[in-house]
Amino acid sequence: MEANFKRLVIAAYRLPFKFSKTKNGYKTMQNSGGLVSAILALSEKFKKSKDFRVNEKILWAGIDNNIPDDFPSDKLNNKHFNICPVHIPANTNELYYGGFCNDLIWPLFHYFPTYSVFNNNYFKAYEEANTLFCNEIIKVIKPGDFIWIHDYQLLLLPEMLRKKMPDVTIGFFLHIPFPSFEIFRLLPRKWRESIINGMLGADLVGFHTHDYTQHFIKCVKRTTGFECHQNVILTPNKLVKADAFPIGIDFDKFHGACFDKPVVKEKEQIKKQLSGQKLVFSVDRLDYTKGLLLRLKGFETFLEKYPAWNGKVIFNMVVVPSRDNIKQYEKMKKEIESTVGRINGKYSSLSWRPVIYQYKSLSFNELIALYDLSDVGLITPLRDGMNLVAKEYIACQKENKGVLILSEMAGAAAELTEAIIINPVDNDEMAEAICSALEMKTNEKHVRLKRMQDRIANYNVFTWALDFFAQTADAKIQQNQMSVKYVNKQIVSQIKTSYLNAAKRILFLDYDGTLVSFAKYPELAIIDKKTLSIINQLSKDPKNTVVIISGRDKNFLEKQFEGLDVTLVAEHGYFEKKHGKDWKETVNTASNWKSIVMPILKEYVNRCNGSFIEEKTGSLAWHYRNAEMDFAQLRLHELRDDLAEIIRHKTDLEILEGNKVLEIKSGKYDKGQTAANLLKNKNYEFILAAGDDKTDETMFSALPAETFSIRIGKCSSLAKYNVGSYIEFIALLANLSDM
Ligand code: GDG
């Protein structure tokens, strides 16, 4: 894996340093947190390794509120990073960061909707702050930059940047969970649309787990209706990929630190204090998502259920101060302190206190010493995007004696499957897990730790970042492949020249999705006057034969194109009608199969609310455009299975899948065969064929190589070209009709 760009630009709410003035000058201090350590480590890697062609310093854009007013701008940069400070006025920041980010998105995305505050001013400030980020970044961006945007504070930024710089490479990574649609839909419609479209401005959207990715894709489908194929989303402008990239840690740094001198010194001190007692350890920021109270209750249940351990085990719970001005946090802190007091009051003896609670932040050496020495790491958040502490704890088990108890609600649980996985609200399960961890045989501990260590040593923070870069590059390649086929000015001019030079031309035009947009019911999709007059004009040219080739029934088509000199092909080729002539059947098929298929389709109409049946002479169609899409996909799958059984016996039947419709018809005809028949012995010098769904693919494959075949919509197709929408296609037809 390699990084294939000239410069990495990070956009994150916080800058990587705190800036301060000292007596002797100016000081910068690294901010704690996974992202800063990750990017710092990457910066070292870029410098040392020849695999990387990144030769410029990383540029980091973040809010400037930590920079003293008179701090000289030339002192902001250091050997790793150039800094792009973004100024957000204090009152806006309060509504943006304190409000929209921490009073709404944080609780909502962590499944605490009751803590979420919905306030229009919050959203306005959120838009404003993202705009301020965008304005600063576009001032410094250069060709070849890779912009990597991080987290829930900047969900709108990818789209804002994309609008200003359509070709730039943008990756977005969300560090917190992406919730299910049932939670996401609690956001007002405008906000959720802005968030989804905002994120889709990126080329690649990354999450910690497969579940979060799936939630996001479902929210995209429900919010925008964009077509999604597995983890690829087709927006009107481009393809966007969404995927899981579980963030890693700098494994060697943590693993290697266990025997550093200052860490050994720390360990000796702690050992003395423990005097042979077992140690259960946890460290978290003060936050309601971390399940701190339930953890204490789980430990209390352990003390109650397993009295033999009383006096032999200590739970050291470190809570790191964070955003103390939030009122839920203050309340929670008081509750934690009183619960600790109650447990200690109930179980302590003169020589033993079961819970050592510390409200402070630890030095790196203290943290490593505690990870290393503890017998049990008790990491039980109620929700956590990933949880790096769990991974760091595993990395620090150099002597293989610790056991990790991990909440199933942490993203890390998807990878650290050899931990004892528990539900954090189940006190009994937690108590049992603590007991099993303390009693676990050395051999079992080794096996579990080894597997987890191998995994996190392998997919570490570098692999994580490089994987992200590689997948973004891949998304760009896929976008390019699509845009090569996209009808651009040059292709339009080729089509026009060929049209002008041809003495005899034929145009095959599908109806729904090609000449008209989709409507709620088929009968409502009526062609508009302007499009009709374009077709009329084309058909009046004696050099032209215009064929409307559709899955529609003959009456509908006849009514739409009444009086026009066009050839109509109905029901995917079953019927054909030349201007001024009668309809004729192109094939002879029996339709006794309908009495077998119809009851099955009716059953599916009952089982899938919103779906309906359309009966045509030669076929039956099950439409699901008005049903809930994911549910309809499930029913579609089942219907296919049921029909496959019938088709096995009636081999001349076939299933056609169009845009949100499944159709059963005889396999003796299709659009391709009918189109090919219309070409026979006619020597057309210009052939154009356009359609928007799978049923049109038979036509694209049956027509000669010189055909200008065009698939409406951005998706893979046998057609030579794609256009984004039916509107673009009609503009092209209008162009030809004017010639
Ligand atoms: C977001 C997501 C996701 C903690 N206390 C001390 C200390 N730490 C360090 C740990 C660890 C980090 O802070 C906390 O890890 P988290 O995983 O909770 O990361 P956050 O940045 O808070 O949260 C989270 C993460 O992003 C990464 O994507 O995992 O789910 O919420 O590295 O070691 N470090 C020191 N003293 C402490 O007292 N030195």
Side-chain angles (χ1 to χ4, degrees):
M1 267 186 276
E2 57 175 36
N4 205 359
F5 45 80
K6 288 191 184 140
R7 183 175 65 156
L8 178 61
V9 178
I10 300 287
Y13 176 71
R14 268 199 197 84
L15 285 169
F17 306 115
K18 288 190 181 74
F19 303 86
S20 53
K21 274 173 48 179
T22 61
K23 271 190 218 150
N24 313 325
Y26 303 96
K27 200 172 106 185
T28 55
M29 231 177 70
Q30 190 191 318
N31 265 330
S32 60
L35 180 64
V36 181
S37 335
I39 305 297
L40 209 58
L42 263 181
S43 146
E44 290 289 354
K45 200 107 180 164
F46 286 165
K47 278 187 211 150
K48 285 184 200 151
S49 169
K50 288 193 189 95
D51 288 344
F52 302 110
R53 278 173 263 154
V54 184
N55 39 20
E56 273 197 58
K57 243 198 273 178
I58 294 170
L59 178 72
W60 192 307
I63 182 169
D64 72 355
N65 65 345
N66 262 324
I67 307 175
D69 284 343
D70 47 356
F71 201 93
S73 55
D74 60 322
K75 295 270 186 302
L76 288 175
N77 303 333
N78 76 355
K79 63 177 177 157
H80 294 289
F81 305 123
N82 285 339
I83 297 296
C84 167
V86 180
H87 180 68
I88 299 176
N91 51 349
T92 308
N93 192 41
E94 190 44 45
L95 295 166
Y96 154 60
Y97 182 66
F100 198 80
C101 296
N102 290 333
D103 262 1
L104 176 59
I105 298 294
W106 178 269
L108 194 66
F109 281 33
H110 285 89
Y111 294 76
F112 285 86
T114 46
Y115 287 2
S116 305
V117 180
F118 297 83
N119 176 335
N120 284 335
N121 291 330
Y122 284 0
F123 185 67
K124 269 190 217 142
Y126 191 73
E127 286 181 308
E128 209 178 309
N130 274 255
T131 308
L132 291 169
F133 261 88
C134 177
N135 294 345
E136 286 309 318
I137 292 173
I138 52 170
K139 282 185 205 158
V140 290
I141 223 68
K142 296 190 293 194
D145 281 347
F146 177 99
I147 309 178
W148 197 5
I149 302 170
H150 289 265
D151 228 358
Y152 63 103
Q153 299 90 352
L154 299 174
L155 295 167
L156 310 183
L157 183 58
E159 188 193 21
M160 289 178 172
L161 286 169
R162 176 72 59 205
K163 280 189 177 152
K164 308 256 175 180
M165 295 173 293
D167 297 325
V168 76
T169 304
I170 304 175
F172 177 86
F173 189 82
L174 187 71
H175 289 259
I176 64 172
F178 197 92
S180 71
F181 181 66
E182 284 311 311
I183 288 284
F184 187 70
R185 75 186 320 175
L186 294 175
L187 290 170
R189 196 175 301 277
K190 178 174 181 278
W191 303 1
R192 67 177 118 118
E193 282 172 3
S194 300
I195 288 173
I196 294 289
N197 286 320
M199 294 169 83
L200 290 177
D203 298 298
L204 175 69
V205 184
F207 303 90
H208 283 308
T209 70
H210 178 66
D211 281 350
Y212 306 157
T213 315
Q214 292 311 306
H215 290 162
F216 173 70
I217 289 176
K218 170 129 192 188
C219 290
V220 170
K221 285 189 199 163
R222 295 290 298 260
T223 312
T224 64
F226 294 156
E227 224 177 292
C228 302
H229 299 280
Q230 293 185 334
N231 62 343
V232 170
I233 300 147
L234 300 173
T235 76
N237 309 317
K238 66 175 193 326
L239 157 164
V240 179
K241 277 176 83 175
D243 215 335
F245 302 87
I247 194 171
I249 56 165
D250 186 349
F251 181 86
D252 293 340
K253 178 176 147 196
F254 283 90
H255 198 59
C258 298
F259 291 110
D260 283 354
K261 259 194 189 159
V263 174
V264 172
K265 221 169 133 192
E266 284 290 345
K267 284 200 282 191
E268 274 160 13
Q269 263 188 358
I270 301 170
K271 261 189 201 158
K272 259 189 232 156
Q273 286 158 349
L274 281 176
S275 54
Q277 297 170 106
K278 296 273 185 190
L279 179 64
V280 177
F281 174 65
S282 76
V283 55
D284 313 77
R285 266 187 320 101
L286 179 68
D287 196 292
Y288 46 81
T289 60
K290 299 290 181 184
L292 300 170
L293 269 171
L294 283 164
R295 193 177 310 165
L296 281 169
K297 289 189 180 145
F299 187 70
E300 185 181 15
T301 311
F302 161 76
L303 294 175
E304 203 174 286
K305 281 180 95 171
Y306 303 96
W309 279 103
N310 286 11
K312 295 179 191 156
V313 62
I314 287 176
F315 176 25
N316 182 195
M317 179 155 127
V318 179
V319 176
V320 181
S322 147
R323 310 180 206 153
D324 340 39
N325 54 349
I326 297 178
K327 58 176 185 304
Q328 284 109 345
Y329 290 19
E330 268 172 50
K331 185 168 163 257
M332 195 175 56
K333 182 167 174 273
K334 282 192 188 126
E335 273 183 86
I336 291 170
E337 284 163 2
S338 78
T339 310
V340 169
R342 190 173 50 71
I343 299 173
N344 279 341
K346 191 165 159 195
Y347 290 96
S348 292
S349 66
L350 268 181
S351 56
W352 175 64
R353 213 158 28 115
V355 183
I356 308 285
Y357 162 74
Q358 290 168 293
Y359 183 64
K360 64 170 199 174
S361 132
L362 302 169
S363 72
F364 180 73
N365 295 335
E366 282 174 306
L367 181 71
I368 302 295
L370 281 162
Y371 280 154
D372 185 355
L373 273 186
S374 53
D375 301 277
V376 180
L378 189 58
I379 321 282
T380 59
L382 288 168
R383 276 297 154 179
D384 215 329
M386 172 54 74
N387 195 303
L388 295 175
V389 168
K391 292 191 172 180
E392 292 165 4
Y393 179 77
I394 295 295
C396 288
Q397 298 311 307
K398 215 162 177 171
E399 293 172 90
N400 292 339
K401 62 181 187 49
V403 178
L404 174 65
I405 299 176
L406 181 59
S407 158
E408 61 180 299
M409 310 298 180
E415 283 172 279
L416 303 178
T417 44
E418 292 81 7
I420 301 183
I421 305 287
I422 57 135
N423 179 336
V425 303
D426 187 341
N427 291 342
D428 288 326
E429 194 182 31
M430 198 183 302
E432 276 164 38
I434 297 171
C435 183
S436 332
L438 290 168
E439 289 172 0
M440 193 179 282
K441 298 267 183 308
T442 315
N443 195 24
E444 186 178 346
K445 288 185 194 174
H446 280 205
V447 173
R448 287 176 182 250
L449 282 169
K450 173 89 177 59
R451 292 207 174 158
M452 290 191 276
Q453 287 185 340
D454 283 352
R455 203 170 301 133
I456 58 176
N458 199 17
Y459 198 85
N460 57 28
V461 68
F462 309 111
T463 343
W464 168 71
L466 295 179
D467 190 13
F468 191 90
F469 299 151
Q471 291 306 318
T472 313
D474 200 54
K476 278 277 182 220
I477 291 170
Q478 286 189 34
Q479 285 170 5
N480 286 338
Q481 281 168 347
M482 277 198 137
S483 64
V484 169
K485 289 182 67 183
Y486 195 71
V487 173
N488 54 23
K489 276 188 192 149
Q490 204 187 344
I491 295 165
V492 169
S493 94
Q494 269 177 35
I495 295 176
K496 281 162 92 174
T497 313
S498 171
Y499 182 87
L500 270 181
N501 293 338
K504 211 169 163 200
R505 318 167 183 131
I506 187 161
L507 293 90
F508 292 99
L509 308 175
D510 165 51
Y511 183 76
D512 292 283
T514 304
L515 299 179
V516 294
S517 154
F518 270 83
K520 202 164 167 58
Y521 294 100
E523 54 272 32
L524 300 180
I526 305 295
I527 194 158
D528 70 41
K529 281 192 183 140
K530 201 169 153 220
T531 311
L532 207 57
S533 88
I534 295 168
I535 295 189
N536 190 23
Q537 196 156 334
L538 283 168
S539 65
K540 281 202 303 214
D541 186 329
K543 291 180 184 167
N544 290 349
T545 301
V546 177
V547 182
I548 307 295
I549 185 160
S550 163
R552 291 293 190 133
D553 66 42
K554 51 188 183 3
N555 296 338
F556 180 87
L557 286 186
E558 199 169 348
K559 199 166 161 208
Q560 296 305 304
F561 296 94
E562 202 176 357
L564 264 66
D565 183 4
V566 294
T567 298
L568 298 176
V569 174
E571 297 199 19
H572 305 288
Y574 187 91
F575 290 108
E576 186 189 302
K577 180 184 181 307
K578 298 234 165 84
H579 182 56
K581 303 261 170 64
D582 285 336
W583 284 99
K584 67 167 196 187
E585 289 184 17
T586 59
V587 280
N588 205 353
T589 63
S591 59
N592 54 358
W593 56 269
K594 276 190 177 173
S595 59
I596 305 169
V597 172
M598 186 60 114
I600 299 176
L601 296 189
K602 281 189 176 157
E603 187 190 321
Y604 276 86
V605 169
N606 290 337
R607 293 182 67 212
C608 182
N609 193 22
S611 68
F612 59 92
I613 299 167
E614 184 187 5
E615 181 169 2
K616 304 179 200 174
T617 314
S619 68
L620 288 174
W622 181 69
H623 290 272
Y624 56 91
R625 65 181 84 177
N626 301 331
E628 200 275 287
M629 219 22 78
D630 281 350
F631 184 62
Q633 297 286 354
L634 180 76
R635 290 289 177 251
L636 178 69
H637 200 69
E638 294 169 2
L639 177 58
R640 256 192 238 127
D641 282 352
D642 286 356
L643 292 172
E645 197 46 36
I646 292 166
I647 284 173
R648 230 160 27 102
H649 302 292
K650 299 219 161 260
T651 44
D652 66 328
L653 285 185
E654 74 172 10
I655 297 177
L656 267 190
E657 286 200 38
N659 202 342
K660 296 173 186 128
V661 56
L662 179 142
E663 192 157 356
I664 303 102
K665 64 181 248 317
S666 157
K668 288 185 184 162
Y669 63 92
D670 58 34
K671 283 186 179 179
Q673 292 177 46
T674 310
N677 277 336
L678 285 167
L679 290 187
K680 260 187 203 154
N681 311 322
K682 292 280 172 41
N683 302 324
Y684 289 107
E685 291 167 14
F686 174 90
I687 308 170
L688 182 142
D692 76 308
D693 74 22
K694 284 185 199 156
T695 62
D696 299 304
E697 296 292 320
T698 57
M699 179 165 76
F700 299 143
S701 71
L703 293 173
E706 65 273 17
T707 304
F708 289 101
S709 49
I710 300 175
R711 171 100 185 226
I712 318 299
K714 285 184 175 170
C715 53
S716 57
S717 164
L718 295 170
K720 252 188 224 153
Y721 306 110
N722 286 76
V723 291
S725 68
Y726 83 101
I727 295 172
E728 283 175 49
F729 178 65
I730 289 171
L732 174 69
L733 282 185
N735 234 315
L736 297 181
S737 70
D738 287 343
M739 291 172 71

